[in-house]
Amino acid sequence: MTRVFNFSPGPATLPEAVLRRAADEMLDWHGCGMSVMEMSHRGKDFMSIFAETESLARELLAVPANYKVLFMQGGALGENAIVPMNLIGRTGKADYVVTGDWSKKSLKEAGKYGAARIAASGDASNFTAIPKQSEWKLDPAASYVHICSNETIGGVEYHWTPDTGSTPLVADMSSNIMSRPIDVSRYGVIYAGAQKNMGPSGVTLVIVRDDLLGHALPITPSAFNYQVQAENESMYNTPPTYAIYIAGLVYQHIKASGGLAAMEKHNAQKAALLYDFLDESRFFTNKVAKADRSLMNVTFWLKDAALDDEFVKGAQARGMVQLKGHRSVGGMRASIYNAMPAEGVKALVAYMKDFEARHA
Amino acid sequence: MTRVFNFSPGPATLPEAVLRRAADEMLDWHGCGMSVMEMSHRGKDFMSIFAETESLARELLAVPANYKVLFMQGGALGENAIVPMNLIGRTGKADYVVTGDWSKKSLKEAGKYGAARIAASGDASNFTAIPKQSEWKLDPAASYVHICSNETIGGVEYHWTPDTGSTPLVADMSSNIMSRPIDVSRYGVIYAGAQKNMGPSGVTLVIVRDDLLGHALPITPSAFNYQVQAENESMYNTPPTYAIYIAGLVYQHIKASGGLAAMEKHNAQKAALLYDFLDESRFFTNKVAKADRSLMNVTFWLKDAALDDEFVKGAQARGMVQLKGHRSVGGMRASIYNAMPAEGVKALVAYMKDFEARHA
C-alpha cells in the first residue's frame, strides 16, 4: 500500500491514524459485537460516541454554553437554504458579502425566502480580495449578515472577524473550520460541511446561538429546523451516524495533536512554504491579495497554460494528486487542510521548483 | 471478536462480508492510494464507484429507463417535506394513507406545503392492519397518493401494490426496499433511507419518474430539488460519498446472493420461523392482521410485561441485542432485514421457546 499526497479540495485527505482506527473498529466497536454503522442511533453505544463527538467539537472550538451544536444533513449547499428558512423570518431581509462562488450560491438561494441583498462584493478585484469592512453597506434591518470565511475556488480567506454590531453574523466555514481557533461568540450561526477538516461528506456541523432558535418560516422542513433538531439533540431524524463517528475520531486526533492553536501553526507553516515560493517564482503566480490569501486552498497559475497537463501528470507520477484548479478559474490549486502533512507541501514545492527549472 | 445478532430497527445489521471489504479498503481503495472517504466526488475513482452503485440499484430494482435514480441527504423524514415540495405544486393537494407512526409524520409534514388529507387510515384497527383499497377515499385532484410500504414500529407491511389510477403513487420504502422485487412502474416516486437494507444512515435513495420532475415549489432548496439533482447526477451538492460506497458494496452483495428474488425467499423463511412460533405460543403474541404482517419487523408481546426486562437481558446474554419494542408501543420487536442471517432468527426462536417453557 502506498498512500498519495491528496490535494483534493474536498472530500479531502484524512489523518491516516483515523483511517487505521476506523478500519480496526469496522466489524466490532470496542467489543460490542457490531460496527458503528450498524448501531441504533438511540442505543447506548452510539449515544456515547455522539456525546463525545459533540463534547469534543465544543471543546476544540470553545463553544459558549448559549450555543447549540447540531449535526445535520444536507451540506453547506443545503444550509444555503436552511439558514434563511430558520433566520430570515425575523425581519424578512438579509445581507450577503460576496467573495466568490460559494457566497454567490448562498446569496442566490436566500432570495427564495426573503429579500437577500449584497452588502459588499469582491467583484471589483475579480474576487482576489475580501472587501474591507469599511466598504460594507450593512442594512440595520437585516436578520443576519452572511459570509463565507474561506472560498475554496478563488483561494481567499478572512483573517479577521467582521463586526456586524447587533446583527447576527452567519458564516459558512466549511473549508476552514477547525483550522485555527475562532471566537464563536462573535457569530450567530456557524455552519460547515465536514468533508475538508472534519471527516467524510454527509454531515454538517451547525453552531447556533440560542436566541436565534424559534424563528423558522412555516415552510421549514422539520428535519432542517434548528429548533426541532436542538430539542431532539440532532436526532429528530436518524443522523448520519458513521460520518459523525469519523468526525469524532478526527476531533480526537486534532486534540491529541495540540488542538486548534497547533493546527493554526501547522497550517501557517505549510501555506508559507507555498506562498513564499510563489512570490519568488518567475514561472508560477498567485493572484490573491496577500492579506486575504487562503491557508487552506493555495491557487496558482503556470506562466504557460499549455504546460498545465504536463504539470498535473508529472505531479501524479510523483504521488501528488488532485492539483488541477476548479474548471471555472483554471490553473492549479493545492488544498492543504489540517490533515495534509508538511511533507506533502514540501514535496509539492520541490516538484514545482524542478518543473520551473526545466521550463523557465 | 464476537459479532452479535443485532435486531436493531435501523441503523441495522450489515453483511459481514461488506464490512470486511470496507475495512480492507479503508486506507487504499484499489491501489489509488487513498480512502473512498478522501476522494473528490468529481474525481474518476469516485465517479466509477458512483456509476456502479447507481447501475446496481437500477439492475436490482429493475428501474425503467424513464425514472431517475438519485442519492440524496436528509433521510426519509427529510423526504417527508421534500416530496410535497417537489410534487404538491401540481394541484396543491395530496392524499395520504396512514398506517402507523411514519405515515402520520409524513402527513403532518406535507400540510406545510398544501392540502394534505387522509385518504384512508388504519386507526380503527389501532394500526394493526393496512386499510383495504376498497375503503380508500381518493381525491382525483390529488397531486399524489402517499403510502409507507412498511411501518417499522407497528410491524405492518403492504404485500400488494395499491392502484391509484393516473394519480402518482409515492412510497416511503425505507424499511423494506430491496427486500423483494417490486414493480417500479407502478410508482411515481419511491424513497428510502439506506439504514435498513442498503447501508449506513445519511444517504437516501430516491427514484422519480421523469414526468414528475420540474414541479417544485419556488421555496424548494436547490439541494433538495429533484430536477436540480437529476440534472447534476446527484452532485449539485457534495453527496455522502462514503455512505454511497457502502450502499454499492451492499448492492454487490445482494446481487451475488441471487438478487431480490433470493432476498424475498430468505426473508419469507426467516419471518415464517418467528410468526409460526408466535401463532402456536401461549406466552408470546403478535397483534398484526396475518395478511399485513411485516417480514422486516416482527413485533411481539410477552404475556406478562413485567418479564420484558428479563427477556431482553437474557437475549443480550446470548448475543441477541436491540429487541426492545419502540417506546410508543412497548413489547418486543425483532427487525430481520436482509442482512440478518437465518441463524439469528433460529437462535431467537430457540431462546423464546426456552423462555416460555421457564415462565409459562
Side-chain angles (χ1 to χ4, degrees):
Chain A
M1 187 197 75
T2 310
R3 297 259 303 160
V4 294
F5 290 124
N6 174 13
F7 293 94
S8 167
T13 196
L14 288 168
E16 194 174 312
V18 165
L19 296 172
R20 286 193 187 283
R21 181 145 163 217
D24 286 348
E25 296 179 345
M26 181 63 84
L27 277 91
D28 182 11
W29 183 83
H30 295 197
C32 77
M34 65 175 85
S35 174
V36 174
M37 253 182 244
E38 304 176 295
M39 290 177 183
S40 165
H41 55 298
R42 301 197 186 280
K44 70 173 173 36
D45 290 322
F46 185 74
M47 291 296 279
S48 77
I49 291 171
F50 186 88
E52 190 186 359
T53 303
E54 191 204 324
S55 162
L56 280 165
R58 284 190 169 276
E59 181 184 341
L60 289 169
L61 290 163
V63 178
N66 62 323
Y67 286 74
K68 296 286 184 288
V69 170
L70 308 175
F71 293 89
M72 295 179 67
Q73 295 187 53
L77 286 182
E79 288 295 325
N80 285 351
I82 296 167
V83 163
M85 281 179 163
N86 278 278
L87 301 186
I88 207 167
R90 295 168 69 237
T91 66
K93 299 172 171 188
D95 276 346
Y96 279 71
V97 178
V98 175
T99 50
D101 285 49
W102 298 113
S103 41
K104 272 185 216 169
K105 282 196 176 173
S106 301
L107 167 72
K108 195 179 162 200
E109 195 75 3
K112 295 177 181 172
Y113 310 101
R117 60 183 279 281
I118 299 177
S121 170
D123 61 351
S125 73
N126 198 24
F127 301 106
T128 59
I130 305 279
K132 288 190 184 64
Q133 172 134 24
S134 57
E135 297 160 10
W136 294 19
K137 291 183 175 57
L138 297 177
D139 178 354
S143 294
Y144 59 90
V145 180
H146 181 282
I147 64 167
C148 175
S149 61
N150 182 72
E151 292 273 0
T152 56
I153 295 177
V156 299
E157 182 175 7
Y158 283 80
H159 296 288
W160 48 282
T161 308
D163 181 356
T164 53
S166 59
T167 309
L169 178 61
V170 174
D172 173 359
M173 289 197 185
S174 295
S175 51
N176 68 350
I177 195 156
M178 298 266 177
S179 70
R180 55 180 156 97
I182 51 168
D183 180 355
V184 173
S185 74
R186 303 280 298 276
Y187 299 84
V189 172
I190 291 168
Y191 64 91
Q195 65 266 24
K196 283 89 156 75
N197 272 327
M198 299 192 291
S201 59
V203 59
T204 316
L205 180 70
V206 179
I207 303 171
V208 52
R209 209 172 62 205
D210 287 343
D211 63 291
L212 299 177
L213 298 170
H215 302 284
L217 298 174
I219 49 84
T220 307
S222 302
F224 303 117
N225 182 313
Y226 293 156
Q227 186 169 31
V228 171
Q229 289 291 12
E231 284 166 358
N232 288 277
E233 294 177 339
S234 302
M235 296 205 191
Y236 172 75
N237 55 344
T238 310
T241 52
Y242 197 75
I244 290 170
Y245 155 72
I246 298 289
L249 295 184
V250 171
Y251 296 163
Q252 288 176 36
H253 185 80
I254 292 173
K255 185 178 175 183
S257 307
L260 300 194
M263 289 301 114
E264 181 173 37
K265 197 175 157 195
H266 165 67
N267 289 321
Q269 285 172 343
K270 285 186 297 183
L273 288 173
L274 264 164
Y275 286 120
D276 287 352
F277 169 68
L278 288 167
D279 285 340
E280 74 189 29
S281 168
R282 293 181 176 193
F283 185 82
F284 296 99
T285 48
N286 168 272
K287 300 174 181 173
V288 178
K290 284 196 180 182
D292 303 324
R293 284 172 165 177
S294 169
L295 301 193
M296 300 284 101
N297 312 94
V298 180
T299 49
F300 56 93
W301 280 259
L302 280 67
K303 203 173 181 177
D304 179 2
L307 294 169
D308 282 1
D309 273 0
E310 184 186 334
F311 180 82
V312 168
K313 279 181 190 155
Q316 200 147 355
R318 287 163 179 78
M320 293 176 282
V321 305
Q322 294 289 337
L323 282 162
K324 209 166 174 173
H326 191 269
R327 59 191 181 283
S328 64
V329 294
M332 300 295 143
R333 169 174 52 177
S335 295
I336 52 173
Y337 303 114
N338 285 350
M340 171 59 64
E343 292 65 38
V345 179
K346 284 177 190 162
L348 175 60
V349 171
Y351 169 62
M352 289 167 75
K353 280 184 181 164
D354 177 65
F355 194 90
E356 176 167 350
R358 285 188 283 117
H359 293 92
Chain B
M1 188 198 73
T2 310
R3 296 259 303 162
V4 294
F5 289 124
N6 173 14
F7 293 93
S8 167
T13 195
L14 288 168
E16 193 173 314
V18 165
L19 297 172
R20 285 194 189 282
R21 181 143 163 218
D24 286 348
E25 296 179 346
M26 181 62 85
L27 277 91
D28 182 9
W29 183 83
H30 295 198
C32 78
M34 63 175 87
S35 175
V36 173
M37 249 181 248
E38 303 174 295
M39 290 178 182
S40 166
H41 55 298
R42 301 199 186 278
K44 71 173 171 38
D45 290 321
F46 184 74
M47 291 297 278
S48 76
I49 291 171
F50 186 86
E52 190 186 359
T53 303
E54 191 204 324
S55 164
L56 280 166
R58 284 190 170 276
E59 181 184 341
L60 289 168
L61 291 163
V63 178
N66 63 323
Y67 285 74
K68 295 285 183 292
V69 170
L70 309 175
F71 294 90
M72 295 178 66
Q73 295 186 52
L77 286 182
E79 287 296 325
N80 285 352
I82 295 167
V83 163
M85 282 179 164
N86 278 277
L87 301 186
I88 207 167
R90 294 168 70 238
T91 66
K93 298 172 170 189
D95 276 347
Y96 279 71
V97 179
V98 175
T99 50
D101 285 49
W102 297 113
S103 40
K104 270 185 217 170
K105 282 197 177 173
S106 300
L107 168 72
K108 194 176 163 201
E109 194 75 2
K112 295 178 181 173
Y113 310 101
R117 60 183 276 281
I118 298 176
S121 170
D123 60 352
S125 73
N126 198 24
F127 302 105
T128 59
I130 305 279
K132 290 190 182 67
Q133 173 133 24
S134 56
E135 297 160 11
W136 295 20
K137 292 185 175 56
L138 297 176
D139 178 354
S143 294
Y144 60 89
V145 181
H146 181 282
I147 64 168
C148 176
S149 61
N150 182 72
E151 292 273 1
T152 56
I153 295 176
V156 299
E157 182 175 10
Y158 284 79
H159 296 288
W160 48 282
T161 308
D163 180 357
T164 53
S166 60
T167 309
L169 178 61
V170 174
D172 174 358
M173 290 198 184
S174 296
S175 52
N176 68 349
I177 196 156
M178 299 266 178
S179 70
R180 55 181 156 100
I182 50 167
D183 181 355
V184 172
S185 74
R186 304 279 300 274
Y187 298 84
V189 172
I190 292 168
Y191 64 89
Q195 64 267 21
K196 281 87 157 76
N197 273 326
M198 300 193 291
S201 58
V203 60
T204 317
L205 180 70
V206 179
I207 302 172
V208 52
R209 208 172 63 205
D210 287 344
D211 63 290
L212 298 177
L213 299 170
H215 302 284
L217 298 174
I219 50 83
T220 307
S222 302
F224 303 118
N225 182 312
Y226 293 155
Q227 185 168 32
V228 171
Q229 289 293 11
E231 285 167 357
N232 289 277
E233 295 178 334
S234 302
M235 297 205 190
Y236 171 76
N237 55 343
T238 309
T241 53
Y242 197 75
I244 290 170
Y245 154 74
I246 297 290
L249 295 184
V250 172
Y251 297 163
Q252 289 175 37
H253 184 79
I254 292 174
K255 185 179 174 182
S257 306
L260 299 195
M263 289 302 113
E264 181 173 37
K265 198 176 155 193
H266 166 66
N267 289 323
Q269 286 172 343
K270 285 184 298 180
L273 289 173
L274 264 164
Y275 286 120
D276 288 350
F277 169 68
L278 288 168
D279 285 341
E280 74 188 29
S281 168
R282 293 180 176 195
F283 185 83
F284 296 98
T285 48
N286 169 271
K287 301 174 181 174
V288 178
K290 282 195 179 181
D292 303 324
R293 284 173 167 178
S294 170
L295 301 193
M296 300 285 101
N297 312 95
V298 180
T299 49
F300 57 92
W301 279 259
L302 280 67
K303 203 172 180 176
D304 179 1
L307 294 168
D308 282 2
D309 273 359
E310 185 187 334
F311 180 82
V312 168
K313 278 182 190 154
Q316 199 147 356
R318 287 161 180 79
M320 293 175 284
V321 304
Q322 293 289 337
L323 281 163
K324 206 164 177 176
H326 191 270
R327 61 191 180 284
S328 64
V329 294
M332 300 294 143
R333 170 173 52 175
S335 296
I336 52 173
Y337 303 114
N338 286 349
M340 171 58 65
E343 292 66 39
V345 178
K346 285 175 191 164
L348 175 59
V349 171
Y351 169 61
M352 288 166 76
K353 280 184 184 166
D354 176 65
F355 194 91
E356 177 168 351
R358 284 187 284 117
H359 293 92

